[in-house]
């Protein structure tokens, strides 16, 4: 049984169906402005999880200690300052770049719905979002997650931690954050399709 089935007691297919049912009404909203509450919820969960990863590195207690017990480093792999890179590494991570590129489709509707969409305001919003929120948040995940587990960090960092109530709570929260991102990523596509039909 996977960690997912251990935490939630049902198959992944059932939960994908539940997530689809929850995301569908959000995808059908007319304006992106209507999604500001769900976006704030997603950001709050991601910031809290980044804090959890950092705290579990600096001040671990048995429930959230990466190896299950404070002082136990048996699950930690080697920490390498700079990993070797090349075309193989680039191609294995290409999906990250592809996802980032696909996320740009939401940029024009966001700019359109700004209260003052002047070029200066657009740049201010983008720089604040990227450098003030996203970069520090993902930096917390990657830096402290890697320091906690070294080379043994699992691609899904939640699977690296012991399975308990705290980790399950973050698993549910991150699932909610992903569900609330679906409408943001599909908004521009839906608008384009509706424009072609009208």
């Amino acid at each position: 049984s996977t960690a997912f089935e251990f935490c939630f007691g049902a198959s992944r297919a059932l939960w994908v169906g539940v997530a689809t049912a929850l995301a569908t009404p959000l995808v059908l909203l007319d304006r992106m402005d209507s999604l500001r509450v769900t976006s704030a919820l997603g950001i709050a969960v991601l910031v809290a999880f980044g804090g959890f990863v950092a705290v579990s590195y600096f001040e671990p207690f048995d429930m959230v200690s990466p190896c299950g017990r404070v002082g136990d480093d048996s699950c930690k792999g080697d920490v390498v300052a700079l990993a070797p890179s090349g075309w193989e590494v680039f191609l294995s991570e290409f999906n990250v770049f592809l996802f980032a590129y696909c996320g740009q489709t939401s940029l024009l509707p966001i700019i359109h719905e700004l209260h003052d969409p002047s070029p200066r305001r657009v740049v201010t919003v983008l720089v604040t979002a990227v450098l003030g929120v996203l970069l520090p948040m993902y930096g917390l995940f990657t830096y402290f997650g890697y320091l906690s587990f070294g080379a043994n960090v699992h691609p899904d960092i939640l699977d690296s931690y012991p399975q308990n109530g705290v980790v399950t709570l973050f698993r549910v929260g991150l699932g909610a954050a992903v569900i609330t991102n679906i409408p943001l990523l599909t908004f521009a596509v839906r608008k384009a399709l509706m424009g072609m039909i009208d």
Side-chain angles (χ1 to χ4, degrees), residues 51-97:
F52 165 76
V53 172
V55 166
S56 67
Y57 174 73
F58 284 114
E59 295 291 331
F61 52 94
D62 285 343
M63 185 180 243
V64 297
S65 178
C67 298
R69 205 175 75 242
V70 175
D72 180 10
D73 285 338
S74 62
C75 69
K76 187 174 179 177
D78 294 332
V79 176
V80 180
L82 290 173
S85 61
W87 282 106
E88 292 173 356
V89 173
F90 172 76
L91 292 175
S92 70
E93 300 300 328
F94 185 69
N95 62 334
V96 174
F97 296 107

Side-chain angles (χ1 to χ4, degrees), residues 134-159:
L134 297 175
L135 184 64
M137 184 173 53
Y138 289 120
L140 279 175
F141 297 157
T142 56
Y143 185 72
F144 292 113
Y146 182 68
L147 288 180
S148 295
F149 299 103
N152 292 342
V153 69
H154 193 274
D156 179 357
I157 193 168
L158 287 171
D159 287 342

